[in-house]
Amino acid sequence: EFSILPLYLGAWIQARPTCFVSIENKRRQMGFGLLVLVALSVTVGAHEGHDESEHGRPLQVETFEWFGGNRVVKTAQDVQPLDACEEHSHQGGHQKQAKSKTHSHLNHRNQRRISESNTEAATENAMMISALWDRPAWRDHRLDLKAAEGEHPCFAGWKYMIESTNRCNGWTRQYPEVGGQVTFKNTGVYRYSKFTLKAVVAGNVNVWVEEGSTALHEDIAIKAANIYTNQYDIEELKPAEGSNSWMEHECKIMGSMPFMYTCSNRINILVQECNVENAWVMSSDYLRNFPDPANADSPANHDIVFYMCQEMLDGTPNPYAAANTFAHELAHVIQGGFGSSFTAMTEGGATWLEGPLLNLPPRPMVYAWGFQDWNRINAAHLYANTVPTNSRKFYQIHSMFLTYLSQPELLGDKAASALQNYESFEDANVPFGRAAYDYYLTYLGRPQPSTFEPVILNATDVFNSFATALLDYRVAIASQCILEAANRPTEARYNMPAKLQEHPYWDCSSYPTYWSAEQTTVEGGVDTQIHYGGAAIARLATPAGATISMGADADPYVRTKILASAAPSSGHAAVVSELRPGQSLTLEGGARDIYVVQVNVDPAGELLGPNDRNQLWKKGTHGCQGHSSSSPCRGNAWRATGAHGRNYPADSHWGLRSASFAIPASATNAKLTFDAMWDLEDSEGGGERVGSGCSGTGYDGVQVRLHVMQANSDKINRTEVIVPVDGYDSAVCIALAASALAIPGADCSSYQGWLGSTLNADETHLDWTNQEFSLAKYAGETVKVEIIFASDGSVGGQGFWMTNMKAKTGNTVLFREGHGQETSMETYYYSASTPAGSKGRVDGVPVVAQLPDGYEYDQSMSKDQTRSAAWTASWATPEATSEAARARAHLGWSYRADTHATKSARLHPSQEACLTLQAPFKGSVDSATLFLLVDKMGVGAVSLSMRSAESPHNLLTGSEVMTSASPSVEDPGTHRFKYSGSGPVLEENELFLMCIGIAEIKTLPADDTGSLPFLHMPLLPLETTATKGVPGATMLLVPPTPGQQHVRAVQTSGLDPFQGQTFALRAEFVAAASSSSSGADRSRAFLAP
């Protein structure tokens, strides 16, 4: 069991790593309660810049309940989170004490190639296209699986596999009847426990509960399984035409469950104690014998298992939330059946699945960890996934990118799924970033290719397919901010899917906004620092005839597109236009909303190139004399060492190459000599298998290679390892077997090298040694000499020194390395880049993209470079009666929260949560946007009311209750209410309330009968929530009914029911047609920085 622990941790990292699955009331006796407020404090581990003092702090959950009047009761609970809930650094290499225990789950047993049957009839090209664009069909082909008519898509091919192949050798996993028990390993608290089978749902989902589970745990788990499989047969759980359940649609689009590795056609939900609120799956369960399947000796956990923590069900007694988490984690199971993947693709795919792919709302930005600045999140590195950098909004941003790409006019669901399923079981072939995106996005808006054409990544071209898609995606996010659909661009690439267009994903009011009535220029060069793949968006609010200009010296690696809404008054259509450095754009016509959208698309932003690394080989005096009185280096030598006297770095693969020189055909005695000394890792190898089955006998090493050049060319024809006359120290040096250093077709002798040390007998200093190599076999060739230095992941030494390199035949010198600082040598970095078109030995999937020579992926995001491209704008002073002259302002406050302590409230029927606002000038509310969490129960619509600030808080004269539908089992997350001139006119400085509530009760069969219907509101801190008569004052009320308009008071919570918090509502206020205002008037309405 200990041998699978590293696999378990690795798998957990790929599971949904958020202890905060949902913020929910943990109490079910709610008949007497009107409001539940939950405060969650999430503690992170001491990783990636986190304060060590934060490590281990418990998860703090505070629950507030309102019992009427001003009585508020608070309870608190501490939950210890697991480190796996935070970001992890994947460290390679070996441990000095246990070098043989570092293999991945693909190497801890000998890999065997899966047989490929019936491939003779298919062409190589057709097979590669199938492997890339229909991965499930490709796997079925390789394993000879054929789906039977009517078979569930999650287990399509199961019947044929069992009846017509020897894949499982006649064995299948058997389960007891309902009520029976099986011993599983509890992976939350690491113990073996008896689990009782409580239900078999839809014939494919087993629900098991551990001893000690409660009736609540059992009830919610079974309901979640019924929701996932839609045993209720309700339309709200049918995600698409022809798909009757979330489970069915998930497997139709993403692929079947990996039953071919478990010999089981069941999914197992294990309800277990975990000491943490979470849920996960583990690839080391179903891939335990990979590439072989389970067998009669396999433990119970060698199956498709979803671990559902009792603590999560206690804290989240919502079966829809549990079912959604179930869908997310089973997406990881499907992905894991196709290989390993980088986190962006894995988590983006599963988060896309849990939302839009199942016809559910996307995971909102206000979910989980808090943040202070929407624009900081927008500008963060595309692959960042830490609390300090972007509050781990990685999931949401990548999910929405796949949601954008899944539009039929772009990639569509199937191709977007192929993109996120592009994985490999070969470590060297696992894709990262552009290694997948550049290939698939080449076909954006185009048919699937019929011919496989790999991509060579371009490290200088800003117009690569990924860059363009990232920029257009951000334009589509901004397009959601344009209020009227008719005023948005018509091209699909500039829009989010139709169902999401009226639910802005971003807080549009958070973008820097420049008001046309207040200014006529945006000067000084708007200059936002953007990390790779991040964005900056700014709004010019309703200017007419605006000109936007890019500075001539703007960074060309920041691409900019201008999005302008249509101007119906002048008949001008919406515009999207790209501006390069030095270019300008003038937008003709009437008042328009304009968005300046910028993305850092640095083509080398996720790559490490030759200029991004510290050179290992250097020439100088450091260590040159050694401790020998007879040093041959004459004051200078080439050295591969660490900086400032430290040991050389781990995971380094560098070459030191000579210039080309010709060896005469008659030079039968040609030889190469140089002086060297070294101090390298001296441990004997542990017998690890490297290369093509070679047994390692050493670790770090240095060897000499000869490159034979093509005739009259600087291109290498072939490369060979040359052996010194006295031989090397190691027959197989493991670091020299790194894929970056591979010589095609070479045998084990290509891994020879020096290791250990040239320490003298007294162990007082390193001795110089003279090395000699015969070049006789290369007579008549033009060659280059290269000294290769290779280190693995840990344990090092001082390094390697070389001087006095000389090639000669007889007395004729063919090549000589210069003395002093003169040199005829160059350094070369070896990066691990599998050639495009190479196929995985196990999965047969081709590599679709190849890095340029000398580049590798910056998977640790070590490049912390930001970029910016300054722009300016100007427009004429608007005519007094024009739309552009009408003053506008934002009212309310954008969501923000402490990173580690977020709070929320649950709103129930007959309640309204009310926020006090103040008119900055005479005018009316033009639109309002409400931000909610998506989990809800029993709610069909949300209401927004404008009420008097004075009791009994009647509706303002001329206003009506606005409603926004919430038709799904989850809430849309954002609700935009459009008044568009129909709202009541308010006088300058007039106070009023904007109140949200439940407009419609909608009960579904799976609703928790022990809970009241609710909406879930994220909260933000505000100093004025308890101060009567000022903007920000917050309260809850039971609004008066039409027959109570004459009463003088209504039931309220009193001010500040959320204890210094309010809800996230933003409104845009517009001056009456004949009014104007100053910036001073408007300043009260703005959210303070």
Side-chain angles (χ1 to χ4, degrees), residues 704-994:
V704 182
R705 295 179 178 181
L706 205 72
H707 302 296
V708 179
M709 313 305 292
Q710 296 180 12
N712 304 315
S713 171
D714 197 40
K715 293 183 179 180
I716 296 172
N717 183 41
R718 71 180 190 276
T719 298
E720 297 180 3
V721 175
I722 57 175
V723 180
V725 172
D726 294 331
Y728 286 117
D729 300 311
S730 172
V732 176
C733 208
I734 290 173
L736 289 168
S739 60
L741 299 172
I743 300 175
D747 58 18
C748 296
S749 64
S750 67
Y751 308 132
Q752 298 180 69
W754 290 300
L755 51 76
S757 167
T758 59
L759 196 66
N760 72 340
D762 297 331
E763 299 187 354
T764 57
H765 62 266
L766 299 177
D767 273 340
W768 286 93
T769 65
N770 183 259
Q771 302 294 332
E772 180 179 326
F773 303 78
S774 172
L775 302 180
K777 66 175 288 188
Y778 303 102
E781 305 276 13
T782 298
V783 300
K784 287 184 178 182
V785 176
E786 182 168 18
I787 302 177
I788 301 289
F789 178 96
S791 64
D792 60 11
S794 65
V795 184
Q798 296 179 57
F800 187 91
W801 285 258
M802 185 281 298
T803 190
N804 292 333
M805 179 179 283
K806 183 189 303 181
K808 59 185 295 187
T809 177
N811 293 323
T812 303
V813 175
L814 307 175
F815 169 82
R816 184 196 300 272
E817 160 58 3
H819 293 300
Q821 289 301 311
E822 299 175 8
T823 184
S824 53
M825 310 287 284
E826 63 178 0
T827 62
Y828 183 85
Y829 178 77
Y830 283 88
S831 59
S833 175
T834 306
S838 303
K839 294 192 298 183
R841 291 172 298 155
V842 175
D843 50 49
V845 176
V847 174
V848 297
Q850 184 172 327
L851 288 169
D853 196 26
Y855 282 83
E856 64 184 351
Y857 292 106
D858 183 20
Q859 298 195 45
S860 63
M861 291 181 289
S862 60
K863 293 172 71 170
D864 192 26
Q865 182 181 16
T866 59
R867 295 182 179 274
S868 63
W871 59 272
T872 60
S874 62
W875 54 90
T877 302
E879 296 181 8
T881 58
S882 69
E883 181 69 17
R886 296 177 68 185
R888 292 176 177 267
H890 289 141
L891 306 183
W893 287 267
S894 284
Y895 174 81
R896 66 190 188 283
D898 182 89
T899 304
H900 304 108
T902 60
K903 300 182 179 181
S904 66
R906 285 167 60 158
L907 196 65
H908 297 289
S910 301
Q911 299 177 359
E912 288 188 3
C914 298
L915 175 64
T916 304
L917 300 174
Q918 186 176 37
F921 37 79
K922 183 178 180 179
S924 61
V925 173
D926 190 49
S927 66
T929 304
L930 170 68
F931 293 86
L932 297 175
L933 294 163
V934 298
D935 58 305
K936 68 167 187 179
M937 192 176 298
V939 175
V942 179
S943 66
L944 177 65
S945 306
M946 294 184 65
R947 297 187 176 277
S948 168
E950 301 298 327
S951 185
H953 308 298
N954 292 323
L955 291 173
L956 292 178
T957 302
S959 73
E960 297 180 353
V961 176
M962 305 284 284
T963 62
S964 176
S966 182
S968 175
V969 297
E970 293 186 339
D971 188 78
T974 56
H975 294 268
R976 181 159 56 189
F977 301 89
K978 302 177 185 179
Y979 286 90
S980 303
S982 64
V985 176
L986 297 142
E987 297 298 325
E988 183 176 352
N989 295 328
E990 182 177 351
L991 293 171
F992 64 100
L993 303 180
M994 295 199 82

Side-chain angles (χ1 to χ4, degrees), residues 213 252 315 376 463 473 532 571 589 684 708 743 806 817 862 892 923:
S213 299
K252 276 185 177 179
R376 181 181 68 84
F463 296 101
Y473 160 55
Y532 171 70
E684 289 297 318
V708 179
I743 300 175
K806 183 189 303 181
E817 160 58 3
S862 60

